[in-house]
Amino acid sequence: MSDTDEDHANQENGQKPNGAFSTWMADGDWFYIKGEYKKAVRSYTTALTLKPDDKTCFVSRSKCYLKMGQPESALNDAEASLKADTSFYEGLYQKAEALYYMGEFEFALVFYHRGQRLRPQMQEFRLGIQKAQEVIENSVGRPSSVKLKVKGDLSFLQKYERAQPIAAIQHLTVKKKQQTQKTPKSERTTKHLLGEFYTDKKYLESLLKDEDLVKGKTKGGEQLHDVIQGCLSCLDSCNEFWTQEKPLGAQEKERKLRQDKCSEPRHGAPSEPTQFLLKSLDDIDAEFTSGNAEGSLKKAEDVMKIVQRWSEEEMQSKKDVLGSLHSCIGNALIDLGDMDKALEHHQKDLELAKQCKLPDAMSRALGNIGRVYAQVGQFTQALEFWEEKIPLARGGLEQTWLFHEIGWCYLKLNRHKEARDYAVHSVAAADDIADEKWQMNANVLVAQSDLKLGNFESCVSHFERALTQAKLQDADSAVNVIQKALDEAKQHLPQ
């Protein structure tokens, strides 16, 4: 009996399996890549006996269940991954996918939308919304044609009950709350006031038209009609309050005032500041990507001088723009080898991002600061900023790169266990996006860490995986280097 089979047998007998959690996760990832989904499920299940609440593992096993044609099991694992963190975007995507393949297209659409609000740059959510909408629209042309099975998580409806934290809403008179006919408002005004909730309002209204759906009940026994109507009433109350707080006339006056200020002559912002900035940033980026770091630096410094003369009334996002320019200047200085000045600009970018509470800008700055420290060999400082960036990382590619670089720093510091843990995370993230280059790099890092830890069998296994990826890319130089490292690693195996 192999070690793997013995561990699975121990698990079935209620015994704790041998091996580390990361090893079982890596095995599951490897089986998933090879299309051996049942074996992958067994590995992930074993890993969950060691870390029963690991959300990434639940998502990985959920993907396997979908591949095996078991969407109900996939949904259960997706919901388990969201138990501790309902904003875990990978779990939201997996839940949406499971619901889609169960035929619950409207509920799937809700979770695709929720995920897109958390991760607007993720193409997967956009494609999910598109395919769910197409199925719904093709079913006789309206959402209510697709009959939902009234089961699963309806907790998304509860967010509208929490959507009125403003205490002043409570001061609306009982008469106004009971009104069924409100003063007509244009859809444009309503859309402006509700913001992101406007789409949800329209969606809830379409649900209310589905006679079969509204007859159902939630898990708590509430009539769906009452729950949906209550959410709509809450949104109407918010709309009413926000209208009272800032009437449309006042909004128009403010808008006109801003336009007047922007049109002032001499040293003010140009009449179309947004277009000017977009073109300028494109020019700066074009110079940088073409290899002209000096040209990129000069353009960025010139634009910064112009923006610094603008007031915040003329350009409300002035600090955000300045942060982007500091980032551009810092990157150009890195290419030119002036690390001290580069660090100053990236630190200024981080300072502005924190002042404006901009997560994406903070993530950008933290990544660049870590890059500067790593390039000058200050790995401890690089780790400090890169590890702070982890919860801000967006998308599989950024996670793959970040985990790899953190693992590499730990390897340089001879902290081999931490290096391996992050390398395994990098492998998993690379597998999710099927990026062969990063699959190769991450597997090499796992192998290097295993070699230092004396895990020679695992070392050989990961070098072999990296070699396979290098051959798929026809990367001859990488193939030669990895083959040589693999041959040396095999010498450590027992004869």
Side-chain angles (χ1 to χ4, degrees):
M1 181 183 288
S2 68
D3 291 342
T4 301
D5 291 336
E6 182 179 350
D7 281 329
H8 285 308
N10 288 341
Q11 180 193 348
E12 290 170 2
N13 294 329
Q15 300 177 22
K16 199 84 168 180
N18 300 319
F21 170 80
S22 57
T23 302
W24 286 109
M25 280 291 293
D27 286 342
D29 295 339
W30 179 237
F31 285 131
Y32 181 85
I33 294 170
K34 297 195 321 185
E36 298 181 26
Y37 303 119
K38 289 185 179 179
K39 289 184 178 180
V41 165
R42 293 179 68 186
S43 294
Y44 291 136
T45 302
T46 303
L48 285 167
T49 63
L50 298 171
K51 284 190 178 180
D53 299 323
D54 189 85
K55 57 187 181 182
T56 303
C57 191
F58 275 119
V59 166
S60 297
R61 192 172 69 174
S62 177
K63 291 178 182 178
C64 293
Y65 282 133
L66 271 188
K67 293 287 188 181
M68 294 164 63
Q70 300 177 25
E72 291 84 0
S73 298
L75 178 62
N76 289 337
D77 274 1
E79 289 181 332
S81 75
L82 294 165
K83 188 175 181 181
D85 180 10
T86 56
S87 63
F88 178 45
Y89 70 94
E90 292 181 25
L92 286 172
Y93 177 74
Q94 201 56 31
K95 181 168 185 175
E97 286 283 277
L99 288 166
Y100 179 87
Y101 286 105
M102 289 171 66
E104 300 193 1
F105 304 115
E106 289 184 312
F107 281 131
L109 184 60
V110 168
F111 288 99
Y112 285 131
H113 271 297
R114 182 186 290 186
Q116 189 188 43
R117 281 195 289 271
L118 291 170
R119 289 291 187 270
Q121 296 176 345
M122 272 189 66
Q123 186 179 14
E124 291 89 341
F125 286 121
R126 182 181 61 79
L127 294 175
I129 291 169
Q130 181 179 335
K131 70 182 181 182
Q133 285 177 337
E134 285 177 357
V135 172
I136 293 169
E137 290 167 2
N138 289 336
S139 299
V140 196
R142 67 188 188 93
S144 57
S145 307
V146 181
K147 301 307 177 187
L148 293 168
K149 304 171 188 132
V150 185
K151 62 180 182 180
D153 181 13
L154 298 176
S155 60
F156 73 94
L157 293 171
Q158 296 172 0
K159 74 175 180 177
Y160 302 106
E161 297 169 8
R162 299 191 296 268
Q164 47 174 341
I166 308 171
I169 291 178
Q170 297 171 1
H171 297 304
L172 293 173
T173 66
V174 174
K175 181 179 178 181
K176 283 190 177 179
K177 287 185 177 179
Q178 292 177 341
Q179 279 181 330
T180 55
Q181 298 293 328
K182 296 184 180 295
T183 304
K185 306 180 184 72
S186 71
E187 283 296 297
R188 184 178 178 182
T189 303
T190 302
K191 186 175 183 179
H192 173 76
L193 290 170
L194 289 179
E196 69 177 63
F197 288 120
Y198 178 77
T199 301
D200 297 325
K201 178 179 182 292
K202 303 302 291 183
Y203 177 66
L204 287 168
E205 288 173 346
S206 72
L207 289 183
L208 205 57
K209 296 175 184 177
D210 190 328
E211 295 179 0
D212 291 341
L213 174 66
V214 296
K215 292 176 183 177
K217 294 183 179 181
T218 67
K219 290 180 180 179
E222 295 176 280
Q223 288 285 342
L224 273 179
H225 178 278
D226 295 338
V227 174
I228 296 171
Q229 188 60 61
C231 295
L232 286 169
S233 298
C234 174
L235 286 174
D236 286 339
S237 296
C238 290
N239 190 28
E240 186 75 22
F241 171 73
W242 289 327
T243 301
Q244 292 175 359
E245 283 294 287
K246 181 163 287 192
L248 185 60
Q251 297 169 20
E252 290 297 320
K253 287 179 182 179
E254 287 183 2
R255 182 180 63 80
K256 188 175 186 304
L257 182 61
R258 286 197 298 270
Q259 288 178 341
D260 291 342
K261 287 185 176 180
C262 288
S263 63
E264 288 175 5
R266 302 178 68 94
H267 300 295
S271 58
E272 295 293 341
T274 302
Q275 292 183 13
F276 166 76
L277 287 171
L278 288 174
K279 184 180 184 306
S280 298
L281 290 171
D282 283 344
D283 292 343
I284 292 166
D285 185 60
E287 293 285 357
F288 186 76
T289 53
S290 68
N292 185 9
E294 289 184 354
S296 177
L297 175 63
K298 185 178 186 308
K299 283 183 179 294
E301 288 176 336
D302 289 344
V303 174
M304 180 174 281
K305 290 176 184 176
I306 294 171
V307 174
Q308 284 174 334
R309 292 200 297 264
W310 298 348
S311 68
E312 291 192 8
E313 287 77 15
E314 293 169 324
M315 172 55 63
Q316 291 185 339
S317 58
K318 178 179 177 179
K319 289 183 179 179
D320 187 8
V321 172
L322 287 174
S324 297
L325 291 169
H326 278 296
S327 180
C328 293
I329 292 171
N331 288 334
L333 288 168
I334 290 176
D335 267 27
L336 294 170
D338 194 340
M339 296 301 179
D340 289 337
K341 286 187 178 179
L343 185 60
E344 289 178 9
H345 282 281
H346 287 309
Q347 286 173 333
K348 188 64 178 177
D349 181 23
L350 180 60
E351 178 186 334
L352 290 168
K354 287 183 175 180
Q355 286 178 16
C356 300
K357 297 180 180 179
L358 300 170
D360 287 347
M362 287 173 60
S363 179
R364 174 187 68 207
L366 290 167
N368 285 326
I369 292 172
R371 193 156 60 95
V372 173
Y373 278 126
Q375 288 195 24
V376 298
Q378 297 183 31
F379 303 116
T380 301
Q381 290 89 334
L383 284 170
E384 177 186 346
F385 289 94
W386 275 341
E387 289 186 327
E388 186 179 347
K389 174 183 168 70
I390 290 174
L392 301 173
R394 288 179 177 269
L397 183 59
E398 187 174 11
Q399 290 178 334
T400 300
W401 166 83
L402 182 59
F403 290 144
H404 180 277
E405 296 303 285
I406 293 174
W408 176 76
C409 283
Y410 275 122
L411 190 66
K412 288 290 186 180
L413 293 169
N414 294 319
R415 294 174 61 177
H416 305 127
K417 184 179 181 303
E418 291 94 335
R420 188 186 192 282
D421 287 341
Y422 277 105
V424 168
H425 282 303
S426 182
V427 169
D431 290 345
D432 279 346
I433 59 174
D435 188 304
E436 292 174 352
K437 178 183 177 182
W438 278 107
Q439 286 173 329
M440 176 188 72
N441 292 336
N443 275 298
V444 166
L445 186 58
V446 175
Q448 291 173 322
S449 304
D450 278 331
L451 186 63
K452 296 290 186 180
L453 291 167
N455 301 332
F456 301 121
E457 290 186 5
S458 178
C459 170
V460 168
S461 174
H462 284 283
F463 270 136
E464 288 175 342
R465 296 178 194 180
L467 185 61
T468 300
Q469 297 300 334
K471 289 178 179 178
L472 288 172
Q473 299 173 74
D474 294 325
D476 293 336
S477 59
V479 168
N480 294 334
V481 172
I482 296 170
Q483 184 66 64
K484 182 178 178 181
L486 175 60
D487 293 340
E488 292 177 356
K490 285 181 176 178
Q491 296 176 9
H492 294 279
L493 295 175
Q495 301 298 323

